[in-house]
Amino acid sequence: MFDLIVTDIIFVALLVAVIFVGISWFRSHRARRRLERLLDAKYKALSTIVTGRSMDDQLTEICALIESQIKGSFCTIMRVDRERCVLDAVAVRSLPKSFQDALQGFPLSKCAGACGPAAVTGAPVIVPDMRADERFDDYQALAAEHRLRACWSFPFFAANTGEVIGTFAVYFRRKRSPTGNERLLIERSRDLVSLMVEQNAARARRKRSEQHHRSLFTYNPDPVYTLSLDGHFLSMNAAGGMLIGLDEASLIGQHYEMVVSEDDRELTRKHFEAAKAGKPQSYEITIITASDEQRRIEVTNTPIYIDGKVTGVHGIVKDVTQQRENEKQLKLLERSVEASVNGVLICDASKPYFPIIYANPAFTDITGFTEEEVLGKPCNMIQGEETDPDTVAEIREALDNRREIRTVIRNYRKDGTPFWNELRISPVSGSSNEVTHFVGLQTDISERVERENALAYHATHDVLTGLPNRTALEQGLEKAMAATDNELDYQVYVLFIDLDGFKPINDSLGHGLGDEILVETANRLRAALPKAELLTRFGGDEFVAVVSHLDHREKVLGLVDQLLEQFHKPFVVEDFEVSLSATMGIADSGLPFHRPMELIQRADVAMYEAKHRGGGSCQWFSHAMDEGMQQQVEMRAYLHEAISLEQFELFYQPIINQSQEVVAVEALIRWNHPERGFISPAEFIPLAERSGQIIAISEWVLRQACQDRARLNELGIPTISVNFSPIQFYREDFIEKITAAVAAYSIEPGQIVVEITENVLMRDSDQVQQQLRQLQAIGFSIAIDDFGTGFASLSYLGSLPVDILKIDRSFVQHIDSNKRNAAIARGVLAMASELGIKTVAEGVETAAEYEYLLEHDCKLMQGFRFCRPQPINKLAEWMKTQKKVARKEPL
């Protein structure tokens, strides 16, 4: 029995031992498995760090570590976003994505679950039952959705600052608090998370730094390179390759001297050696590109230190080729500005009043101010009291609007003397297209302005009397008309004043004394005329006054009487006392008219009417006179049309010698009007003389005569006499146009005779003599037409370059019976013979006149007795009827 009991006891003891051993083995095996899993999880977590996997993968592995060691746990990791003051879930392993999304933007608050206060306080927050914690009131639905009950949140910190950078949270689906080992595991895993975050941040910083430095190298717009200690290229960015013209692969391994010009290699070597010695260098050299182009560069070399030793040389290059060219140009421009004869000012556009920051020497020469005296002063410092305010305002407006302006302004020198300044101001823009400066170019044009003023004065004033001339008369008349347009009580009155008998006095006393009389006449009229009224010299001995400030006709007549009284007193010139009277025509704006100048024409017509009535008086223009003036106006219009359409025709009248041989012809113009037929020259030539249309007519006559010369030469007629108007001699381009016609038609000497009347000599005989000699030099002969009918002095014949005298027909008529005409004709023939001048008797109509002229040895004649003027075709037919052949020698 005892044995049986002992056996049972032993069996039980053995069974207990076996059970105890089994339990111990199970516990040991389970611990070993847990340790293996822990080591495996830690290995995986650490491998993510070593292999450089993403931050999300690393944190997820930490979550896996916790979940593998704490049964029933769900791990999440959240990061603090300081800018938004929230937490964002960055790693959630086992819970669904919807839970992770719900945690994004989690409030950073002591009242927000467990993670919020853990992040705010920096202490772990253990919530065994979320349902019983008011901090989870806003998140009960989320917890219920995912069947979560407990939450442990541990903050983790930045290693260097100790600042909370996130939370490590573990969730359970049942109420639970951490054990000591679990807490220790979580805290150690939290530290591992901090390490991961810190290493990831450091890796990101290193990556950014590397990218930053790589960008500085790769994307630098300037060439950047590195050299080995023996001077070979180790690297070269794209900008350097573009500068040299080679890619990086072609440059790597090449020595730097391959691109350095030979002249700069020694200099480059010295700086390279200094950089190798640890001293940064800056210098400038010339390189040769792959296309053999020379480029000027600035080089900065710095030593590359690794572990305290220089292992290479870093280089930065700036291409300054264009800059150096610009500097040369700028230097040239600076020298040019300094040497310029124009004043140059540069002003600061960014400051009030635009102060002067530069003035060249020419500005000093013009104004007298030195550069030191003007620097910092406003740009308007040389303006003065008489500077035009409108011009100043115009300049100010241009400066305010930053635009260029050109103007002429009256400025003042340092000594106070004024000068005319031709000013050009130009804005200068900076790199941002904002105007930074103004450049003013100044030219002293005082002499030019004075000349222009003088020219303008002479253009509107009579040189002799100083009175306004015709041009000023037209302007003044239009101004007066405009001023009285709205004045019902005022009209404009035009007084046309002509001296009676002035020409004989002028001829007898000489032009010098005649001019003095005209000057005195102007002075007397000006003194008698109110200052507000305009007095002008119309031409010759004619004056015109424009009266616009008198409101009654009677007052005008009173003024006219005062003007005529000025001629009651004799004119005393040197030792001569001359009495003159004047005749005056008056026209007013009361009668309808089209143009203001019509008033002058009407006053002129009224003046001639007064002369017809005896002179020395005045005559008011009336409608009765208007009809004749209208005819003249119409005739002028017809004449203008005739000139445009060349309605003229030349007739030719032969000039014969004593043997009745044709030696020349005189060209006589005829106007063949399409409706009125041939119009007599006596009707339209005087009008053309007054209107100035005679210039165009005379030029046409010369051209047509030159064109007909060849045909006349075929007929055996070597010479053509052409009449020139006295007005042509007053034109500056007179000789120039004649010379051009001679060249255009190949006129030879002796083929053209210029016929002028004595009236040509009435004005500026010295100039006329010079022009006549120029005509002779061209190859023309000079003939005085209608000799004896003008006022020319016989003394002219001794000095004038005259070849032919044409005795006027009035002295030829009835020469055989009229003793007076015969005496004059014989006298002219004898005088001309003594002077060696040929004579032509005009208007020979009868055989008796012809015989008388032959008897008294008149060499040349023309007139109806031989042939009437006729067109060239009929002249050719007439020539065929002549028994004698014409002479070939010129007249």
Side-chain angles (χ1 to χ4, degrees):
M1 187 68 178
F2 178 77
D3 294 335
L4 182 61
I5 293 172
V6 169
T7 301
D8 289 342
I9 291 172
I10 293 171
F11 176 77
V12 169
L14 288 172
L15 181 62
V16 170
V18 169
I19 292 171
F20 179 79
V21 170
I23 291 172
S24 297
W25 177 86
F26 177 76
R27 286 180 176 177
S28 174
H29 178 71
R30 188 174 63 178
R32 188 168 60 253
R33 290 293 297 167
R34 185 182 296 115
L35 179 60
E36 289 175 354
R37 288 196 300 270
L38 176 62
L39 292 174
D40 184 59
K42 287 185 176 181
Y43 174 78
K44 289 182 179 180
L46 291 173
S47 68
T48 59
I49 299 176
V50 174
T51 57
R53 290 171 61 186
S54 70
M55 185 67 181
D56 290 346
D57 289 345
Q58 294 177 27
L59 296 178
T60 301
E61 289 297 330
I62 296 296
C63 290
L65 171 64
I66 297 300
E67 291 176 356
S68 69
Q69 296 301 306
I70 303 177
K71 186 176 181 180
S73 66
F74 300 93
C75 185
T76 65
I77 299 175
M78 303 179 76
R79 290 288 303 275
V80 173
D81 187 336
R82 293 293 177 187
E83 291 185 359
R84 296 162 53 216
C85 293
V86 296
L87 289 163
D88 289 319
V90 294
V92 177
R93 184 174 184 274
S94 299
L95 290 171
K97 188 176 185 302
S98 59
F99 182 78
Q100 182 176 355
D101 293 340
L103 294 182
Q104 305 304 324
F106 198 83
L108 198 63
S109 168
K110 290 182 178 181
C111 300
C115 293
V120 171
T121 63
V125 176
I126 307 299
V127 181
D129 186 359
M130 292 188 289
R131 295 177 185 176
D133 196 315
E134 63 180 5
R135 290 175 294 187
F136 281 88
D137 288 349
D138 294 336
Y139 308 102
Q140 292 297 333
L142 179 64
E145 179 184 354
H146 297 283
R147 296 180 293 121
L148 301 177
R149 192 70 179 267
C151 178
W152 311 338
S153 182
F154 292 80
F156 58 88
F157 310 90
N160 55 346
T161 63
E163 182 184 23
V164 175
I165 59 175
T167 62
F168 197 96
V170 182
Y171 296 88
F172 298 90
R173 285 179 172 162
R174 59 185 175 85
K175 293 190 292 183
R176 187 167 173 210
S177 296
T179 65
N181 289 333
E182 289 173 340
R183 189 176 187 117
L184 181 61
L185 175 64
I186 293 173
E187 288 177 349
R188 289 179 177 177
S189 298
R190 176 193 64 181
D191 294 340
L192 186 58
V193 169
S194 296
L195 176 61
M196 288 180 177
V197 170
E198 184 64 27
Q199 287 185 342
N200 189 72
R203 187 182 299 113
R205 287 194 296 271
R206 285 195 304 272
K207 188 175 182 180
R208 283 195 299 270
S209 178
E210 289 172 359
Q211 291 176 346
H212 173 75
H213 287 90
R214 174 55 58 182
S215 295
L216 287 177
F217 179 84
T218 304
Y219 301 109
N220 197 317
D222 290 327
V224 181
Y225 63 90
T226 56
L227 295 173
S228 63
L229 292 178
D230 57 1
H232 291 86
F233 287 110
L234 298 176
S235 65
M236 174 72 74
N237 69 349
M242 290 180 60
L243 174 64
I244 298 173
L246 297 173
D247 57 21
E248 184 179 9
S250 301
L251 288 168
I252 300 302
Q254 299 291 335
H255 198 275
Y256 67 77
E257 286 191 352
M258 71 171 288
V259 297
V260 178
S261 69
E262 187 174 351
D263 293 339
D264 288 336
R265 287 179 181 176
E266 180 61 26
L267 173 67
T268 306
R269 187 189 63 77
K270 289 181 180 179
H271 287 289
F272 177 68
E273 293 297 329
K276 285 168 55 178
K279 299 177 182 178
Q281 301 291 302
S282 292
Y283 53 98
E284 187 173 313
I285 59 173
T286 299
I287 64 171
I288 309 298
T289 68
S291 59
D292 287 334
E293 179 186 6
Q294 290 191 357
R295 306 295 294 180
R296 195 70 179 169
I297 61 171
E298 283 183 350
V299 182
T300 300
N301 286 147
T302 56
I304 300 174
Y305 281 95
I306 297 178
D307 296 331
K309 293 182 179 181
V310 176
T311 61
V313 173
H314 182 75
I316 300 176
V317 169
K318 187 172 186 61
D319 186 356
V320 295
T321 307
Q322 188 61 49
Q323 180 181 339
R324 296 297 176 260
E325 277 299 316
N326 292 341
E327 289 172 356
K328 289 181 181 178
Q329 294 296 324
L330 187 61
K331 195 66 179 178
L332 177 61
L333 178 61
E334 181 181 353
R335 291 196 297 267
S336 300
V337 170
E338 292 289 325
S340 174
V341 297
N342 297 316
V344 177
L345 283 183
I346 301 178
C347 301
D348 190 342
S350 64
K351 296 181 180 179
Y353 306 108
F354 311 121
I356 299 169
I357 63 172
Y358 171 79
N360 74 336
F363 177 82
T364 298
D365 295 339
I366 293 173
T367 65
F369 290 101
T370 64
E371 185 176 13
E372 292 74 17
E373 290 173 326
V374 300
L375 291 181
K377 300 293 179 62
C379 62
N380 62 353
M381 64 170 293
I382 57 175
Q383 295 175 8
E385 294 182 358
E386 295 185 12
T387 301
D388 181 21
D390 292 337
T391 304
V392 173
E394 183 183 2
I395 295 173
R396 172 59 59 180
E397 190 270 337
L399 295 179
D400 290 341
N401 290 291
R402 302 302 196 260
R403 62 175 178 83
E404 183 179 74
I405 182 172
R406 296 183 182 186
T407 188
V408 174
I409 187 171
R410 190 176 179 86
N411 286 144
Y412 289 81
R413 297 184 174 89
K414 181 179 179 180
D415 61 7
T417 58
F419 70 97
W420 286 103
N421 186 2
E422 185 175 56
L423 179 62
R424 176 179 178 177
I425 302 176
S426 300
V428 179
S429 300
S431 57
S432 61
N433 290 328
E434 181 180 356
V435 173
T436 59
H437 297 85
F438 289 105
V439 176
L441 186 65
Q442 308 188 24
T443 306
D444 184 354
I445 59 169
S446 301
E447 292 185 3
R448 192 184 84 190
V449 171
E450 290 173 2
R451 288 196 302 269
E452 290 174 352
N453 289 340
L455 290 174
Y457 178 84
H458 291 310
T460 57
H461 287 75
D462 176 56
V463 177
L464 177 63
T465 63
L467 293 177
N469 59 12
R470 287 193 187 190
T471 301
L473 171 61
E474 294 181 17
Q475 297 171 354
L477 181 56
E478 290 181 357
K479 184 177 179 180
M481 295 297 300
T484 57
D485 277 346
N486 299 322
E487 299 289 341
L488 298 179
D489 296 333
Y490 289 86
Q491 292 184 357
V492 175
Y493 302 91
V494 176
L495 315 180
F496 201 107
I497 307 164
D498 182 83
L499 304 186
D500 299 328
F502 175 75
K503 285 186 179 180
I505 295 174
N506 191 44
D507 293 339
S508 60
L509 297 180
H511 294 290
L513 296 182
D515 288 345
E516 292 188 34
I517 292 175
L518 291 175
V519 172
E520 178 62 22
T521 299
N523 293 337
R524 292 186 185 185
L525 293 175
R526 180 67 271 175
L529 198 68
K531 291 183 178 180
E533 314 299 358
L534 175 66
L535 177 66
T536 68
R537 185 185 179 195
F538 195 71
D541 58 351
E542 297 172 336
F543 298 85
V544 174
V546 178
V547 178
S548 58
H549 296 80
L550 299 180
D551 55 354
H552 293 293
R553 185 184 181 102
E554 291 74 15
K555 292 182 179 180
V556 176
L557 290 174
L559 176 61
V560 168
D561 289 339
Q562 293 179 25
L563 295 175
L564 292 177
E565 286 176 2
Q566 303 305 311
F567 298 94
H568 293 173
K569 180 181 177 181
F571 292 85
V572 178
V573 181
E574 295 183 0
D575 295 331
F576 297 94
E577 186 175 286
V578 179
S579 295
L580 282 175
S581 62
T583 300
M584 193 178 305
I586 311 169
D588 62 70
S589 59
L591 294 177
F593 60 91
H594 298 290
R595 297 178 299 104
M597 290 300 293
E598 289 182 27
L599 295 183
I600 298 175
Q601 298 171 359
R602 291 177 178 179
D604 188 14
V605 171
M607 184 272 294
Y608 276 107
E609 181 65 24
K611 278 190 177 292
H612 291 324
R613 299 185 182 187
S617 61
C618 68
Q619 181 65 44
W620 209 288
F621 179 82
S622 65
H623 283 293
M625 304 175 193
D626 192 43
E627 182 177 352
M629 190 178 75
Q630 288 298 326
Q631 290 178 352
Q632 289 190 7
V633 172
E634 290 178 2
M635 180 63 76
R636 284 188 60 179
Y638 290 146
L639 195 55
H640 180 75
E641 182 179 7
I643 294 171
S644 300
L645 300 178
E646 294 190 354
Q647 294 175 349
F648 303 111
E649 185 177 352
L650 282 188
F651 281 36
Y652 292 97
Q653 185 176 34
I655 299 174
I656 60 117
N657 60 15
Q658 293 176 336
S659 302
Q660 296 193 31
E661 296 171 333
V662 178
V663 296
V665 289
E666 181 179 0
L668 301 168
I669 191 170
R670 297 292 185 266
W671 179 6
N672 190 2
H673 192 274
E675 297 176 2
R676 297 177 57 183
F678 282 105
I679 299 177
S680 170
E683 186 175 351
F684 70 84
I685 291 297
L687 175 62
E689 294 272 4
R690 292 194 298 271
S691 66
Q693 293 169 306
I694 192 65
I695 298 297
I697 293 174
S698 298
E699 291 175 354
W700 179 88
V701 169
L702 178 61
R703 288 196 306 270
Q704 189 61 45
C706 290
Q707 291 177 11
D708 291 343
R709 179 193 56 79
R711 177 75 185 281
L712 293 171
N713 197 47
E714 291 176 358
L715 298 176
I717 302 173
T719 305
I720 309 172
S721 285
V722 179
N723 290 279
F724 279 47
S725 168
I727 296 178
Q728 288 179 272
F729 286 82
Y730 303 150
R731 302 285 291 240
E732 292 184 358
D733 60 351
F734 171 51
I735 298 298
E736 180 182 346
K737 287 191 173 183
I738 299 300
T739 304
V742 168
Y745 296 101
S746 302
I747 302 300
E748 297 179 1
Q751 291 182 334
I752 298 293
V753 173
V754 174
E755 291 197 14
I756 60 174
T757 62
E758 297 175 57
N759 293 334
V760 173
L761 309 173
M762 294 296 97
R763 179 179 177 184
D764 200 354
S765 62
D766 293 338
Q767 178 182 344
V768 172
Q769 288 186 47
Q770 181 181 358
Q771 290 173 324
L772 292 178
R773 289 191 174 89
Q774 288 175 317
L775 290 174
Q776 283 185 329
I778 293 172
F780 290 175
S781 298
I782 308 300
I784 302 295
D785 195 17
D786 301 332
F787 183 76
T789 60
F791 297 98
S793 171
L794 291 177
S795 62
Y796 284 141
L797 291 179
S799 58
L800 286 177
V802 176
D803 303 295
I804 302 168
L805 292 180
K806 300 190 74 172
I807 304 173
D808 187 70
R809 64 188 306 274
S810 62
F811 301 124
V812 174
Q813 287 180 337
H814 310 297
I815 193 173
D816 57 310
S817 59
N818 187 318
K819 294 182 179 180
R820 177 179 175 275
N821 287 355
I824 292 174
R826 288 196 306 273
V828 172
L829 289 170
M831 178 185 61
S833 177
E834 290 294 329
L835 294 174
I837 299 175
K838 298 177 182 179
T839 53
V840 178
E842 296 183 298
V844 180
E845 298 183 358
T846 66
E849 293 169 352
Y850 171 61
E851 294 298 335
Y852 187 89
L853 291 168
L854 281 178
E855 181 181 348
H856 290 85
D857 199 25
C858 180
K859 306 292 185 184
L860 304 168
M861 291 166 270
Q862 71 180 100
F864 292 173
R865 168 71 177 78
F866 314 107
C867 181
R868 290 177 176 274
Q870 48 194 331
I872 191 169
N873 291 334
K874 290 187 176 181
L875 177 66
E877 295 176 2
W878 179 84
M879 289 291 291
K880 293 178 183 178
T881 65
Q882 300 305 298
K883 296 180 181 180
K884 296 183 179 181
V885 180
R887 293 163 51 92
K888 292 293 184 179
E889 295 81 7
L891 183 63

